[in-house]
């Protein structure tokens, strides 16, 4: 519980004159400095992305709400990137690392400036994931305002999605590429498929970090501006009440969030982030919890790439509150919401207007969960997949291993037609320590889709995938190759068997052969030996614990 009155001493009296001088010089008034709660606005604005290019206007609306309710807003910048810019390059190694950089940057500003409250504006992928991590770390009242959802791309009545760009480019279809480039991203906001950005925006409501009903508002809708004013007013009230994010967090809240993630078939990256939040607060969420909950919660929402709808459609069908209403009988409804009532009380007034978009619990969109955890000798600590993106014929499979230690080599092999039906591509040394940074392996997945091989070839890796990706892909294999996991000892021609319904991932090689290979193995030198990637590789936790740069 935060005590604003206690913290006021930092700004009052003769000993604080030097601090007041700095704020006076920055244009603030003496009375505001001393008497009003100081509300930081951590803005991940960046002109290089449609997901963040509009956040300055949202920040102004947040400030308006803060002033209205007697607070003093102070905006500061936070590093942000656009994952799509890095697609197909080594830059993707930085994306998960950026989650921790964002959290650390916000933590440092809050600590130095003794802020009373905080609003974080964030929208995309690992940036918003880092915003949530920061909110749980700073120990002051804090909420996150999402950037909202991009309009759905279309051309002459034909729906367009981000993945169409890569497929058109790989196939050399210049006419389609021109059309997609011009029309696929028609507004600011997060791409409207169930990628990591939209997944994490949505999960923020269940985590009690985002005001209920606001995460999926389209960025172009003026309701987004009005919700920002409301958020500004709300954070001042939270400061006066002294309620911090950790006060509203529990294992049961995390379980509710996992249920929501499964119901929307969220990005597999969400598994990493939820594990990291649990580690931050010592709440003990594990992959076993995902596995246990997945046995009873199936996918209720068919958003691209699992289905044909967009997150805009989900918003029009009631958004997150409507999905939570569908899950009501399974949720821990006694948990407190960000608004102060219980989830049971909040959901009493929620209606679900469209069964075709948000399916009932008893008649799900898919007969399988949105996330599945696999285990076996090849993944003793677990592996993750999104079954709703896997062709039905490939949910259980046994095939020949084709082993690659770099993504580029695997992608080139696909393009040279060296990968055949029945193969299992094993792409290793792309995990948190091996990459370092746990690369998103979009080159290979996009090429498999472009070649029409997603129904005959599987891909298994200790790296991770974009939320846009679909096909027969299994990631987050732990222990990773760099840590001496069994994936490091797979050889070409080995038989690998998996069953998504049964949660099995197995290397069909005898223990004697594996032991002999381990004797010959020599741990590779780190790929990166300086800079933030090297620091991350040296300090990060395994994927099964969230892969954050912490010595938890």
């Amino acid at each position: 519980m935060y005590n604003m009155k206690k913290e006021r001493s930092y700004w009052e009296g003769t000993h604080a004159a030097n601090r007041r001088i700095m704020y006076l010089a920055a244009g603030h008034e003496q009375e505001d400095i001393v008497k009003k709660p100081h509300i930081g606005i951590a803005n991940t604005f960046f002109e290089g992305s449609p997901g963040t290019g509009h956040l300055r206007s949202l920040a102004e609306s947040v400030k308006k709400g803060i002033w209205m309710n007697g607070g003093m807003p102070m905006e500061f910048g936070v590093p942000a990137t656009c994952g799509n810019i890095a697609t197909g390059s080594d830059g993707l190694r930085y994306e998960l690392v950026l989650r921790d950089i964002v959290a650390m940057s916000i933590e440092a500003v809050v600590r130095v400036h003794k802020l009373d409250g905080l609003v974080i504006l964030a929208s995309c992928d690992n940036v918003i994931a880092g915003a949530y991590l920061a909110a749980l770390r700073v120990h002051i009242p804090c909420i996150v305002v999402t950037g909202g959802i991009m309009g759905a791309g279309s051309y002459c009545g034909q729906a367009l999605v981000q993945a169409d760009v890569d497929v058109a480019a790989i196939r050399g279809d210049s006419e389609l590429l021109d059309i997609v480039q011009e029309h696929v991203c028609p507004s600011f906001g997060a791409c409207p498929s169930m990628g990591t950005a939209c997944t994490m925006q949505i999960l923020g409501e269940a985590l009690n970090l985002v005001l209920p009903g606001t995460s999926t508002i389209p960025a172009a809708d003026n309701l987004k501006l009005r919700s920002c004013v409301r958020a500004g007013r709300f954070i001042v009230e939270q400061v006066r009440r002294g309620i911090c994010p950790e006060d509203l967090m529990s294992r049961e809240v995390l379980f509710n969030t996992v249920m929501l993630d499964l119901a929307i078939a969220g990005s597999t990256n969400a598994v990493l982030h939820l594990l990291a939040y649990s580690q931050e607060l010592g709440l003990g969420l594990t992959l076993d919890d995902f596995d246990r909950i997945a046995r009873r919660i199936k996918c209720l929402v068919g958003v691209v790439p699992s289905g044909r709808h967009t997150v805009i459609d989900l918003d029009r069908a009631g958004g997150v509150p409507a999905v939570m209403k569908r899950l009501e009988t399974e949720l821990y409804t006694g948990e407190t919401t960000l608004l102060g009532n219980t989830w049971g009380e909040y959901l009493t007034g929620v209606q679900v207007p469209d069964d075709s978009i948000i399916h009932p619990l008893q008649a799900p969109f898919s007969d399988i969960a949105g996330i599945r955890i696999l285990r076996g000798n090849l993944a003793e600590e677990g592996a993750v997949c999104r079954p709703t993106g896997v062709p039905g014929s490939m949910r259980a499979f046994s095939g020949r291993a084709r082993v690659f230690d770099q993504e580029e080599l695997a992608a080139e092999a696909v393009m040279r037609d060296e990968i055949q039906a029945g193969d299992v591509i094993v792409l290793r040394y792309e995990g948190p320590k091996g990459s370092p940074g746990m690369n998103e392996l979009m080159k290979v997945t996009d090429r498999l889709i472009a070649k029409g091989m997603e129904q005959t070839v599987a891909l298994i890796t200790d790296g991770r995938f974009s939320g846009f990706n679909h096909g027969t892909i299994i990631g987050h294999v732990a222990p990773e190759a760099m840590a001496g996991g069994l994936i490091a000892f797979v050889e070409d021609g080995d038989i690998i068997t998996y069953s998504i319904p049964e949660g099995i991932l197995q290397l069909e090689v005898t223990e004697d052969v594996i032991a002999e290979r381990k004797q010959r193995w020599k741990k590779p030198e780190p790929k990166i030996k300086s800079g933030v990637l090297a620091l991350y590789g040296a300090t990060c936790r395994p994927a099964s614990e969230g892969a954050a740069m912490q010595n938890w």
Side-chain angles (χ1 to χ4, degrees), residues 203-335:
L203 297 188
E205 293 190 32
L207 287 168
N208 290 325
L209 294 172
V210 175
L211 286 172
T214 66
S215 68
T216 58
I217 299 172
D221 192 328
N222 279 343
L223 181 58
K224 173 54 73 174
L225 295 177
R226 288 157 51 199
S227 71
C228 289
V229 175
R230 180 184 168 208
R233 296 173 66 95
F234 182 84
I235 189 60
V236 178
E237 287 302 318
Q238 286 293 83
V239 170
R240 288 173 179 149
R241 289 193 290 261
I243 298 174
C244 302
E246 62 267 31
D247 299 325
L248 301 172
M249 187 63 67
S250 65
R251 276 176 60 83
E252 289 73 23
V253 166
L254 287 174
F255 292 159
N256 285 347
T257 308
V258 171
M259 291 185 218
L260 176 60
D261 187 41
L262 295 169
I264 63 173
S267 165
T268 50
N269 287 315
V271 177
L272 289 170
H273 302 322
L274 292 177
L275 291 171
Y277 305 153
S278 171
Q279 291 281 348
E280 182 72 30
L281 297 179
L283 294 176
L285 182 73
T286 69
L287 288 177
D288 289 337
D289 293 314
F290 283 86
D291 194 45
R292 172 178 55 81
I293 296 171
R295 296 180 186 279
R296 68 179 196 273
I297 304 296
K298 309 307 178 188
C299 176
L300 306 182
V301 180
V303 169
V304 177
S306 297
R308 61 183 178 85
H309 294 295
T310 68
V311 180
I312 297 291
D313 298 324
L314 173 59
D315 181 73
R316 299 305 184 221
V320 176
V323 181
M324 298 292 273
K325 183 68 175 180
R326 290 296 199 210
L327 294 168
E328 187 173 13
T329 57
E330 297 290 337
L331 294 175
Y332 294 89
T333 53
E335 294 302 301

Side-chain angles (χ1 to χ4, degrees), residues 163 320 325 334 370 377 483 490 549:
V320 176
K325 183 68 175 180
N377 67 349
V490 180
M549 194 160 62

Side-chain angles (χ1 to χ4, degrees), residues 3-225:
N3 188 332
M4 187 184 77
K5 290 183 179 179
K6 181 180 178 182
E7 299 298 330
R8 284 293 84 202
S9 62
Y10 198 69
W11 302 101
E12 298 170 347
T14 56
H15 71 281
N18 63 309
R19 299 180 187 123
R20 294 196 299 272
I21 287 170
M22 291 298 101
Y23 278 5
L24 288 167
H28 298 283
E29 291 288 346
Q30 183 95 238
E31 184 176 355
D32 294 336
I33 297 168
V34 173
K35 294 184 178 181
K36 292 181 178 178
H38 299 178
I39 310 296
I41 301 176
N43 195 347
T44 62
F45 165 80
F46 176 43
E47 290 182 333
S49 169
T52 56
H54 63 308
L55 295 185
R56 273 182 175 165
S57 62
L58 300 190
E60 291 305 312
S61 292
V62 172
K63 289 177 187 176
K64 186 185 298 184
I66 292 170
W67 283 120
M68 283 179 179
N69 211 11
M72 186 179 82
M74 290 186 288
E75 183 181 356
F76 62 93
V78 179
T81 59
C82 177
N84 285 317
I85 298 296
T87 296
S89 76
D90 286 346
L92 269 176
R93 289 174 173 169
Y94 285 88
E95 281 292 290
L96 184 57
V97 180
L98 188 69
R99 176 190 66 184
D100 294 356
I101 293 173
V102 166
M104 292 174 185
S105 299
I106 294 171
E107 175 193 359
V109 174
V110 168
R111 291 285 182 266
V112 170
H113 282 264
K114 282 281 189 178
L115 297 174
D116 297 301
L118 181 67
V119 178
I120 309 174
L121 289 167
S123 183
C124 290
D125 295 6
N126 299 297
V127 177
I128 191 165
Y132 294 161
L133 188 58
L136 298 172
R137 182 177 293 173
V138 293
H139 306 303
I140 62 172
C142 175
I143 60 172
V144 177
V145 171
T146 69
I149 314 302
M150 179 186 288
S154 66
Y155 178 73
C156 294
Q158 179 70 38
L160 297 173
V161 295
Q162 191 77 23
D164 292 333
V165 177
D166 300 315
V167 172
I170 292 166
R171 291 177 178 171
D173 189 337
S174 58
E175 182 178 353
L176 175 60
L177 186 58
D178 288 343
I179 291 170
V180 173
Q181 287 182 114
E182 289 296 326
H183 300 282
V184 73
C185 293
S187 76
F188 286 120
C191 303
S193 59
M194 198 56 76
T196 304
C198 282
T199 298
M200 295 311 296
Q201 290 198 41
I202 286 169
L203 297 188
E205 293 190 32
L207 287 168
N208 290 325
L209 294 172
V210 175
L211 286 172
T214 66
S215 68
T216 58
I217 299 172
D221 192 328
N222 279 343
L223 181 58
K224 173 54 73 174
L225 295 177

Side-chain angles (χ1 to χ4, degrees), residues 19 45 100 263 266 289 392 417 434 440 445 489 515-516:
R19 299 180 187 123
F45 165 80
D100 294 356
D289 293 314
D417 296 322
E440 285 189 351
T445 54
F489 311 116
E516 189 273 329

Side-chain angles (χ1 to χ4, degrees), residues 531-542:
V532 70
L533 289 179
L535 179 62
Y536 176 86
T539 60
C540 67
R541 304 302 301 160

Side-chain angles (χ1 to χ4, degrees), residues 356-368:
S356 68
I357 295 176
I358 305 174
H359 290 241
L361 198 61
Q362 297 74 24
F365 167 76
S366 172
D367 62 354
I368 200 163

